[in-house]
Amino acid sequence: MSHALPFSLKPCAAALLLALTTGMLVAAAPAAAQTAAAAAVREYDLPAGPLAATLNRIAREAGLAFSTDAQLMQGRSAAPVRGRFEASEAMRRALAGSGLELLGTTGGGYTLRAAAQPAPGAAGSGSVLAPVTVTAQADSATGLPAAYAGGQVAKGARLGLLGNADVMDIPFSVTSYTAELMENQGARTIADVLKNDPAVRYSTSDGHPFENFRVRNFAVNQNELVVDGMYGLIPYGRTPVEMFERVELLRGPSALFTGMAPAGALGGTINLVPKRAGEAPLSRVSLDYVSEGQLGTRFDLSRRFGNDKEWGLRLNGSFADGDTALDGQSRQRQLLSAALDYRQGGFKGSLDAYYTKEKFDGGTPAGVMFRNPALGVLAAPDASLGLFPAAYGESENKAAILRTEYAFNDAVTAFANVGVRHGKVAGFFTGTWVVVTGADGAGTVSMSGQRMYEKNVNTEAGLRLNFRTGGIGHEMTLQASRLKMDYGYDANSNGGTTNIYAPSYVAMPALPGAARKWSDKTFDSLAVVDTLSLLDERLRLTLGLRHQSYQVVPTSDGIAIGGEVAYDKSVVTPAAAVVFKPWGPNVSLYASYVQGLSQGGRISTDNGYVRNHTFAPYKTKQTELGVKWNAGSFTHTAALYQITKPELITFASGAGLDAIDGGEKRVRGLEWSTFGEVTRGVRVLGGVVYAQSIQSKTQGGLLDGYAAVGSPHWQANLGAEWDVPGAPGLTLTGRVQSSASQWLTNNHTLKLPGWSVFDLGARYATRLAGRQAVLRLNVNNVADRNYYSGIFREGAPIGTLGAPRTVSASLTVDF
């Protein structure tokens, strides 16, 4: 199997070699690289004022990491700072007379401690307070919300076309996972990151070449992730995380803020924020190991250039190869990404480009289908068994995203963005499952080898306006966007027999010669959103409308091999939300009403229906009430929500089948999530979800009130980190994931059991040959439990398999 490339890239190996060489050259002057931000001389004219505000301002403008205890600075004043100084000197001058002194940390940042005071009769003696490690990181060059206490999540997230917002101002349940968390947990794909979230479950067997999810008990497919609010630009297959600074989850439907998802994802929006060059130089190299024999290396290089540091460049690359936890399988993954940004005056621009390639052979993870209620659901097989030992596949993706904006003044900013992506796959990516036919685990296999491609172009432009009418502030966004998707597909299938507990070799069918063009899809939309602020920002009201058009133009091949039909519909979706802070900035009460969009049902004579018809896009409606409490170093969110989704009802009529828009699924849930540092050196992340998902309207009312498939009542995740006292640099970690039982069939004849798995880890920050280094070890599914993690999709009784015990280790060194 070969794929001709328009350029030669043998692949990231050459780039990695270059990066390692660059790292060695940079190592010749490590001190200069680590202290460049602090050494930059700036003009200061700061009057006396609150100490915390002054120090945070200096650190933010210089791009320094500043760690301290807020109580240490409480009630203290800063001395005036006037003149040209390095940032560290400016901070020391501000501390004059405060009784505190500035200390440098091993990571290149700064902290405070009480200045030594001589004891009576003992000049020069005294005691000091130990430095504290509550991090207050300056915002990045791109204005990203800073990391929250503990560093695992951020203080805010991107709210679609509205841009970045503080979590306390967002009228939804949202979590923004940081690159620090991804690094510490050994995450390599988006699925690894979202294992931290109680509202998310993986809906393909772990390690599958496609990563699909269920959020709030609704499907979100791998091709429906967004990059900075834009669909269609994510890699086809598994999405590597090395090129992203944040993985943000906005729970619930949100068509207003991001537009209609390509396949109608409704449970939530997963937004990925690309990395940008920070103020301080970065030269980082990592070596990785993942069981049973995956070896790899990664690099992360960042620099800013120009008289005012107006140019920024961030390069990321990774290469891994070797055996995986699936018996007989080997996998190779490659990534090279570049992020160039420019800022000058009112103009900001960025160009992101990436190339990814991943290939596997020797098997692929399988789903297990149960069709016979008399057999029930058999015990889950060992997830390390290769049920398709001859399966192979390869995915390849290339993309570029150009973003520009210009602020004419404080009131008007214009933006225009365009992204293009070409992705293709060849191999056994879908349709690999075993249909169980015997109580001993015997079954038949379904195997489908595909060739697929996507060529996507996403464009958007608009205005952001900030103005006041009377005593009311307005933050208004006007946006027009278009996503065009050219999709091709073809597949060959065959069958065979095996046993889920003792697999047999089954030959794979030959792949089609090429993917046949299936359809052209166009998503056009116009949106307007206005956030009104009143009562000194304590009350924020968001109102918006989006007009969405969706058109499908099928080819003759698409109609012939896929039952694709023409589609051309449009719809308007509103949203309304309010945030109220009655007791100050640390408590937010919110309520919101939003809609999600998915393609309406399609019936055609080619599929045995008696009439041709396409329904208008379905409007999925969500109402949510919630409260957020920022306790200073840890935050809680409690949300009560209801989501209703229209569904097609199919029934016998005359000589064939007919369908009406009469079905409905309803989810009512109560969700609690938390993150932050509960006490010095102890960090938590996770939450609990209780949901009742029912079939609220079914054919003839026969199944009204029955629980919907793939919808456990309870889901919980809780992770913790502990900095071991007396062992500087050593951190121990743990995480538990748990789900209750869930129905596999609509009529409740088959049910998957509940499950819980435990993960453990440790990391040690130290110095190697004078360089900052971190060693990390993570063990997932410590007990090596075999379990069904969830369902593959609604309408197909396929249980997915959780990952076996997996060990990962890494060594990261900053040069």
Side-chain angles (χ1 to χ4, degrees), residues 439-464:
D440 62 348
T444 60
V445 297
S446 169
M447 298 171 297
S448 179
Q450 307 90 25
R451 289 192 185 273
M452 294 178 278
Y453 74 80
E454 276 187 353
K455 297 178 181 178
N456 302 336
V457 179
N458 194 332
T459 55
E460 62 179 23
L463 292 173
R464 295 190 181 96

Side-chain angles (χ1 to χ4, degrees), residues 420-452:
V420 296
R421 180 182 71 86
H422 181 198
K424 59 183 178 180
V425 302
F428 296 86
F429 282 77
T430 65
T432 50
W433 56 76
V434 178
V435 182
V436 175
T437 57
D440 62 348
T444 60
V445 297
S446 169
M447 298 171 297
S448 179
Q450 307 90 25
R451 289 192 185 273
M452 294 178 278

Side-chain angles (χ1 to χ4, degrees), residues 563-608:
E564 187 74 275
V565 298
Y567 194 89
D568 191 357
K569 301 289 184 180
S570 61
V571 68
V572 174
T573 54
V578 62
V579 176
F580 183 45
K581 301 177 181 178
W583 304 293
N586 293 328
V587 176
S588 295
L589 308 178
Y590 72 89
S592 59
Y593 171 81
V594 294
Q595 293 184 353
L597 290 176
S598 56
Q599 181 175 318
R602 301 170 299 171
I603 52 178
S604 89
T605 53
D606 294 327
N607 288 337

Side-chain angles (χ1 to χ4, degrees), residues 214 217 370 373 376-377 665 691-695 705-713 740-754 788-800:
R214 290 181 68 79
N217 292 333
F370 296 96
V377 173
K665 174 183 173 180
Q692 291 183 338
S693 302
I694 67 168
Q695 305 167 69
Y706 277 52
V709 299
S711 303
H713 281 314
S741 59
Q742 54 191 291
W743 292 105
L744 193 57
T745 53
N746 284 328
N747 59 0
H748 290 189
T749 56
L750 294 168
K751 192 176 192 179
L752 297 178
Y788 296 104
S789 57
I791 71 164
F792 172 55
R793 63 168 180 251
E794 297 180 28
I798 300 174
T800 57

Side-chain angles (χ1 to χ4, degrees), residues 656-676:
L657 297 174
D658 208 338
I660 59 173
D661 262 344
E664 184 184 78
K665 174 183 173 180
R666 187 187 70 208
V667 180
R668 289 175 175 167
L670 178 62
E671 190 175 83
W672 166 73
S673 61
T674 188
F675 54 80

Side-chain angles (χ1 to χ4, degrees), residues 37 42-44 46 55-64 87 138-139 279 343:
R42 292 174 173 80
E43 183 73 30
Y44 292 93
L46 304 177
L55 294 182
N56 285 332
R57 177 176 175 179
I58 296 171
R60 182 174 62 251
E61 291 178 353
L64 297 179
D139 287 3
E279 299 298 331
R343 61 194 189 195

Side-chain angles (χ1 to χ4, degrees), residues 182-188 285-290 296-298 762-764 768 773-778 807-813:
M182 303 177 215
E183 183 76 22
N184 287 336
Q185 294 186 353
R188 293 296 171 264
V285 176
S286 300
L287 301 175
D288 303 313
Y289 166 84
V290 182
T297 184
R298 293 171 285 125
R763 64 178 181 269
Y764 180 58
L768 295 177
V774 183
L775 296 96
R776 298 178 175 90
L777 175 68
N778 291 284
V807 179
S808 64
S810 68
L811 169 63
T812 300
V813 180

Side-chain angles (χ1 to χ4, degrees), residues 313-513:
L313 178 63
R314 187 79 174 260
L315 299 175
N316 281 269
S318 67
F319 180 87
D321 198 2
D323 295 337
T324 72
L326 185 68
D327 288 350
Q329 188 195 62
S330 64
R331 184 185 297 275
Q332 184 185 97
R333 62 190 298 265
Q334 306 163 19
L335 163 71
L336 182 62
S337 70
L340 179 68
D341 71 89
Y342 178 79
R343 61 194 189 195
Q344 188 68 36
F347 179 81
K348 292 182 180 178
S350 64
L351 176 64
D352 295 281
Y354 70 79
Y355 170 83
T356 69
K357 186 175 183 180
E358 184 166 306
K359 58 183 179 181
F360 66 91
D361 56 41
T364 185
V368 182
M369 178 182 287
F370 296 96
R371 286 177 171 170
N372 188 348
L375 290 176
V377 173
L378 304 187
D382 186 342
S384 65
L385 293 176
L387 299 181
F388 299 91
Y392 59 90
E394 180 177 295
S395 63
E396 186 179 64
N397 296 271
K398 292 171 286 187
I401 307 167
L402 176 65
R403 305 182 68 89
T404 62
E405 70 172 56
Y406 184 75
F408 294 94
N409 48 48
D410 292 340
V412 181
T413 299
F415 63 90
N417 311 313
V418 60
V420 296
R421 180 182 71 86
H422 181 198
K424 59 183 178 180
V425 302
F428 296 86
F429 282 77
T430 65
T432 50
W433 56 76
V434 178
V435 182
V436 175
T437 57
D440 62 348
T444 60
V445 297
S446 169
M447 298 171 297
S448 179
Q450 307 90 25
R451 289 192 185 273
M452 294 178 278
Y453 74 80
E454 276 187 353
K455 297 178 181 178
N456 302 336
V457 179
N458 194 332
T459 55
E460 62 179 23
L463 292 173
R464 295 190 181 96
L465 309 174
N466 289 279
F467 58 95
R468 300 189 68 84
T469 56
I472 301 175
H474 295 265
E475 300 170 25
M476 180 178 290
T477 301
L478 309 173
Q479 182 205 57
S481 64
R482 166 171 284 190
L483 170 60
K484 293 188 68 66
M485 306 180 72
D486 173 0
Y487 176 65
Y489 175 87
D490 203 358
N492 290 331
S493 302
N494 70 359
T497 61
T498 191
N499 188 295
I500 61 173
Y501 304 121
S504 304
Y505 179 88
V506 179
M508 298 288 104
L511 297 183

